[in-house]
Amino acid sequence: MAILKATNIKYYYQDGENIRTILKDLSIEFEKGKFYTILGPSGSGKTTLLSLLAALDEPKEGNILYNDQDIKTIGYEKYRRNMISIVFQSYNLVPYMTALENVMIPMAITENEIPKNTKEVAYNLLDYIGITKTKADRIVNKLSGGEQQRVAIARSLASNVDVIFADEPTGNLDSELEDEIIEIFRTLAHEHNKCIIMVTHSKEIADKSDVSFQLKKGVLLQNE
Amino acid sequence: MNFLKRAFLSLVRRKGKSLILLVIIFILSNVMAGSIAIGQASNNVERTIKLQLGANASVEFDWEKMQNWNEEQWNSLEYITPEMADRIGSLSYVKYYDYNSETYINSTTLTQYDPNMVEVPMYSYFPIKGVQYAPILDIVNGNATLVSGRTFNDTEVKNADYVALISDKVAELNNIFVGDVIYLQNTFSIWKEDNTVEEIKRDIALEVIGIFTPKVQQAEENNGGWIDYTPFNRIYVPNGVVHAENRWMNEQYAIAYPDSNIKIDQIYITPSFVLNNPEDVESFRTEAKNLLPDYYKVTVSSDAYDSVAGPIKFIGSLSNIILYVAIGATILILSLVVILFLRDRKHELGIYLSLGESKSKVVGQILIEVLSIAILAISLSLLTGNSIAESTSQSMMDLRNEITGNNNNGGVIYRDMGYYPNNGVTEDDVLEAYKIEFSWDYVLILYGVGLGTVLLSSIAPMIYILRLKPKKIMM
């Protein structure tokens, strides 16, 4: 059963009388326990699609359903707070906080059930993702790019959600680190029953996913 | 890691930015603290001096309203009557009141007090003040002190007994004691066509029942070498005595000039009211005015404040202007600085929003950060603001003196003990009452104004946060 469903999504930019269509009547479904990739060249609309699915923006037409409930009805803020999390290309960590503190931020925001020993949980999450306790107590700016992205992944897990979006999370990393990060996402999908939806322009990454879609000129095609 | 903890972390981890904000708010709140301290001190002066001036009221003609009167209006002029004075005196604001009739009567047997007198004159003139309030208002108010004998009793006032109080100077000069009788002559002079004067005299014998010493301000005694000895030569008698003597004079006038329309029984009184509370002045003025013809006005002793409060009013109004400018500058500078800082933290705010944090909590976090720094800065300026106010006050007074050429030797309120208490207040008294103090009022007002200004300064930054779109920031 699909946890997340987009139906007849349309998105365009209007500049005076000129309309630039980004997404044309797009429909797509995602299930738990699978690692999805959306492949496409720059400007194909894949980041726009991700921002719509993550409720960072609103489609001009169409609906996005989470467990068959319109996310507009749920409320975008509540949806972002309790149902999804996002890993960004540029990590987007709070620069003056430690890795541990960054991971603890969503724990205070989400209304999902979180164990009371939040600090311990955060340490465990970081450890699981490959960040030692010593590094967890460092200010994030002192960590390497790969470590920062791991912290960002740990943060996405902290709010205990089922759907995790990733916007080119390996874009700033070398190929060795890229492999490690992709492996983490695969594990999260397969071993922890998460729905991972990653946007990428890398065919290699797309090949490692369970389901891969290609976005071309606003139209979505499923890769065989 | 809720928004309160995030605010705390931001404050302590971003020390440089916090310090910059602290310094900016500290400087601006010092200006506000100084202005508020000066404003408070000016207000305290007004309160102190007005209390010192007392809550004594009188009724007099409003000459401005009577400037363009026609003959008919003048003929129908209504003088204050004892009944009018009684009606005003019965208002709840009035502690006690009196109304006085006055005249001058000469004497050949009693010498007036004048230390500059070279030889004893043939006639001495004495101001006679009739009173209705038996304990005598001037003595009750402390403008004269009874040194021996007593004041009138109600029966003497009611029966218009020929009893009097004289000053200790006149008593000493004439070797008079309580119980003695003094003699005056009410004299009506008729000027004849051949330039001769016919004098009709009426002897008045007054039993001295008390001796007083008037309170006269030193400043008035030394005012330009001219000294008014009226308070020393004044003789207090019951109103009825003055009325009887004035009536006799009017009768003589009617006989001498039968064509005149003189009203023999016309009496002229000046009422004085002492109020329970100086703060009731304006209410009393309004209600009393309603009981009087519209060409009378009610004057109150504290009205004199304006004439001596020049330097303080100047400082007060200048400090107000500075305060308003400081508030405006704070709002502008702080709004821009906080927005600039927020632009630096745009990604951080975007992270909170993308994690589903409500905008109100993000706004709350920023408000807590700014207010925490503001509270610290304002608390520090509480201490420094007073010192700034003190040094600034002196500079402002110097500036005012430069502008007006005032050297602070003028501005004496001359006041005889007739209508107002003899508590003449000078500009020096006002300056002496000016004190920059560390009071609770000052603390509360500074925190109120300071934090209020900081909150106003936060409006623009908060709008900036509310308009943030996480997609634009994060993707």
Side-chain angles (χ1 to χ4, degrees):
Chain A
M1 185 199 157
I3 186 167
L4 190 64
K5 204 186 283 181
T7 52
N8 308 115
I9 296 293
K10 281 185 187 169
Y11 194 87
Y12 50 84
Y13 293 112
Q14 192 157 8
D15 181 18
E17 287 181 5
N18 298 328
I19 292 177
R20 191 160 71 89
T21 303
I22 308 295
L23 300 173
K24 292 177 189 165
D25 204 24
L26 183 148
S27 294
I28 188 169
E29 287 186 12
F30 302 98
E31 289 174 12
K32 280 170 77 175
K34 284 188 179 171
F35 175 27
Y36 296 89
T37 51
I38 297 167
L39 188 67
S42 296
S44 60
K46 56 187 190 299
T47 298
T48 301
L49 175 61
L50 189 80
S51 69
L52 298 178
L53 294 170
L56 295 174
D57 202 354
E58 202 174 356
K60 302 291 181 188
E61 284 177 37
N63 304 97
I64 296 165
L65 309 174
Y66 180 89
N67 278 338
D68 291 330
Q69 198 181 354
D70 195 324
I71 63 168
K72 201 171 183 177
T73 317
I74 294 170
Y76 293 143
E77 238 174 49
K78 192 176 178 184
Y79 172 71
R80 289 201 300 267
R81 188 156 58 229
N82 299 329
M83 284 122 193
I84 60 133
S85 56
I86 315 164
V87 177
F88 299 96
Q89 180 178 358
S90 50
Y91 327 133
N92 283 330
L93 299 170
V94 180
Y96 56 83
M97 290 186 190
T98 64
L100 180 80
E101 287 159 351
N102 266 283
V103 173
M104 289 171 74
I105 295 171
M107 293 181 174
I109 296 173
T110 186
E111 288 148 353
N112 292 341
E113 203 171 317
I114 303 287
K116 285 193 177 166
N117 53 339
T118 49
K119 202 170 179 179
E120 211 174 307
V121 172
Y123 272 128
N124 290 341
L125 282 173
L126 283 163
D127 185 55
Y128 176 76
I129 234 75
I131 299 290
T132 61
K133 197 173 178 188
T134 319
K135 285 184 178 174
D137 290 330
R138 282 191 199 160
I139 297 293
V140 286
N141 276 357
K142 307 279 180 192
L143 300 177
S144 68
E147 286 165 340
Q148 288 191 44
Q149 194 57 295
R150 284 169 197 268
V151 174
I153 295 169
R155 186 181 64 189
S156 72
L157 297 173
S159 50
N160 193 21
V161 294
D162 288 331
V163 180
I164 298 172
F165 296 101
D167 181 21
E168 308 232 25
T170 56
N172 295 336
L173 305 176
D174 59 39
S175 58
E176 198 179 326
L177 279 171
E178 181 181 287
D179 289 345
E180 285 178 25
I181 297 293
I182 297 304
E183 195 46 43
I184 291 170
F185 281 119
R186 281 176 57 85
T187 311
L188 288 172
H190 300 149
E191 292 179 18
H192 298 275
N193 200 31
K194 304 284 181 193
C195 171
I196 307 290
I197 302 164
M198 184 183 291
V199 156
T200 182
H201 61 267
S202 161
K203 181 80 173 63
E204 286 167 26
I205 293 174
D207 290 343
K208 289 173 187 168
S209 64
D210 300 323
V211 183
S212 176
F213 296 99
Q214 183 139 20
L215 197 57
K216 264 187 187 171
K217 293 180 180 175
V219 178
L220 198 64
L221 306 165
Q222 187 166 347
N223 293 331
E224 294 303 318
Chain B
M1 186 62 58
N2 61 27
F3 73 102
L4 295 170
K5 282 185 187 166
R6 295 200 308 256
F8 173 75
L9 275 184
S10 166
L11 286 174
V12 295
R13 299 266 172 86
R14 297 165 64 254
K15 289 189 185 75
K17 299 268 167 63
S18 300
L19 195 66
I20 291 170
L21 204 58
L22 180 76
V23 170
I24 291 170
I25 300 178
F26 176 68
I27 292 169
L28 293 167
S29 55
N30 260 307
V31 180
M32 287 193 267
S35 310
I36 289 167
I38 292 169
Q40 287 281 103
S42 311
N43 290 342
N44 287 343
V45 169
E46 186 167 350
R47 210 175 301 130
T48 310
I49 295 297
K50 281 190 171 174
L51 273 175
Q52 209 171 317
L53 287 166
N56 300 276
S58 187
V59 172
E60 58 188 53
F61 285 124
D62 187 346
W63 294 111
E64 275 181 32
K65 283 191 179 165
M66 299 162 84
Q67 254 175 359
N68 301 316
W69 268 21
N70 56 35
E71 201 180 333
E72 193 185 333
Q73 284 173 301
W74 281 110
N75 288 337
S76 60
L77 176 70
E78 200 181 339
Y79 288 97
I80 300 286
T81 63
E83 291 73 28
M84 282 183 199
D86 287 337
R87 275 201 295 274
I88 296 171
S90 64
L91 291 174
S92 60
Y93 311 107
V94 179
K95 193 173 182 183
Y96 37 79
Y97 70 101
D98 194 9
Y99 49 88
N100 311 106
S101 300
E102 301 196 46
T103 188
Y104 274 85
I105 298 181
N106 63 336
S107 175
T108 52
T109 56
L110 198 64
T111 307
Q112 70 189 52
Y113 171 73
D114 184 349
N116 300 323
M117 196 165 56
V118 180
E119 57 184 52
V120 177
M122 197 192 311
Y123 293 108
S124 284
Y125 286 88
F126 292 93
I128 310 292
K129 184 170 183 178
V131 300
Q132 198 68 26
Y133 183 62
I136 304 177
L137 209 51
D138 288 335
I139 290 176
V140 172
N141 276 343
N143 302 311
T145 311
L146 189 68
V147 290
S148 65
R150 61 177 176 83
T151 54
F152 305 113
N153 59 43
D154 290 340
T155 314
E156 286 165 342
V157 172
K158 193 178 171 191
N159 296 342
D161 288 346
Y162 275 62
V163 287
L165 279 88
I166 62 171
S167 80
D168 51 352
K169 298 283 187 196
V170 171
E172 195 182 327
L173 187 66
N174 295 282
N175 200 28
I176 295 166
F177 300 93
V178 171
D180 289 352
V181 175
I182 56 170
Y183 295 95
L184 307 172
Q185 281 184 317
N186 201 0
T187 306
F188 181 75
S189 303
I190 303 168
W191 297 85
K192 302 276 187 182
E193 280 178 8
D194 58 0
N195 279 343
T196 57
V197 180
E198 183 192 343
E199 289 187 332
I200 304 167
K201 296 181 178 175
R202 164 181 157 102
D203 289 332
I204 305 166
L206 293 167
E207 182 194 346
V208 176
I209 59 162
I211 293 173
F212 65 90
T213 185
K215 183 180 165 193
V216 176
Q217 294 290 319
Q218 191 65 29
E220 291 173 18
E221 285 189 36
N222 297 332
N223 193 11
W226 181 79
I227 303 169
D228 180 20
Y229 294 110
T230 303
F232 298 100
N233 291 309
R234 177 170 286 124
I235 296 173
Y236 289 98
V237 297
N239 261 339
V241 173
V242 180
H243 296 163
E245 293 311 314
N246 282 344
R247 189 176 201 286
W248 178 82
M249 286 287 273
N250 290 343
E251 282 170 353
Q252 301 314 307
Y253 190 91
I255 294 165
Y257 307 102
D259 294 338
S260 71
N261 291 323
I262 190 162
K263 293 172 183 167
I264 290 168
D265 289 319
Q266 178 70 57
I267 58 169
Y268 303 96
I269 61 162
T270 309
S272 307
F273 306 91
V274 176
L275 309 186
N276 288 309
N277 188 344
E279 287 171 9
D280 291 338
V281 160
E282 289 313 316
S283 310
F284 168 78
R285 201 196 299 268
T286 310
E287 287 191 33
K289 242 195 132 306
N290 291 338
L291 301 170
L292 292 164
D294 71 342
Y295 44 87
Y296 280 99
K297 65 178 179 185
V298 177
T299 54
V300 183
S301 50
S302 55
D303 292 349
Y305 173 75
D306 290 345
S307 65
V308 282
I312 299 303
K313 288 179 103 176
F314 176 78
I315 290 172
S317 55
L318 202 56
S319 74
N320 271 345
I321 294 169
I322 293 171
L323 179 63
Y324 295 138
V325 171
I327 289 172
T330 305
I331 292 172
L332 191 71
I333 294 169
L334 214 54
S335 298
L336 292 174
V337 169
V338 176
I339 286 178
L340 274 177
F341 285 180
L342 286 181
R343 283 174 68 93
D344 265 3
R345 297 174 68 186
K346 202 162 75 172
H347 266 86
E348 181 192 342
L349 304 179
I351 292 166
Y352 300 141
L353 297 174
S354 70
L355 289 171
E357 184 68 295
S358 65
K359 284 188 174 175
S360 61
K361 283 190 180 164
V362 177
V363 165
Q365 177 185 339
I366 302 302
L367 266 183
I368 287 167
E369 289 178 24
V370 175
L371 285 176
S372 303
I373 293 172
I375 288 169
L376 181 62
I378 292 168
S379 303
L380 291 172
S381 69
L382 272 174
L383 308 172
T384 50
N386 259 24
S387 317
I388 290 171
E390 270 170 27
S391 53
T392 315
S393 299
Q394 193 51 52
S395 305
M396 287 200 276
M397 279 189 212
D398 293 344
L399 173 70
R400 190 251 181 190
N401 288 342
E402 262 177 46
I403 294 168
T404 61
N406 189 337
N407 54 8
N408 285 349
N409 61 0
V412 172
I413 304 175
Y414 171 71
R415 192 175 295 119
D416 180 16
M417 54 196 250
Y419 304 141
Y420 295 126
N422 193 9
N423 50 1
V425 173
T426 66
E427 216 172 83
D428 288 338
D429 295 327
V430 173
L431 293 175
E432 205 174 302
Y434 181 82
K435 283 188 184 70
I436 303 287
E437 285 174 338
F438 193 90
S439 65
W440 278 113
D441 278 358
Y442 161 69
V443 174
L444 290 176
I445 292 174
L446 180 58
Y447 272 116
V449 172
L451 293 179
T453 306
V454 171
L455 281 174
L456 284 174
S457 313
S458 305
I459 291 175
M462 296 311 118
I463 292 170
Y464 172 82
I465 292 174
L466 293 174
R467 287 169 57 91
L468 282 178
K469 297 261 189 284
K471 183 196 169 188
K472 281 186 183 170
I473 303 167
M474 310 299 287
M475 292 183 146

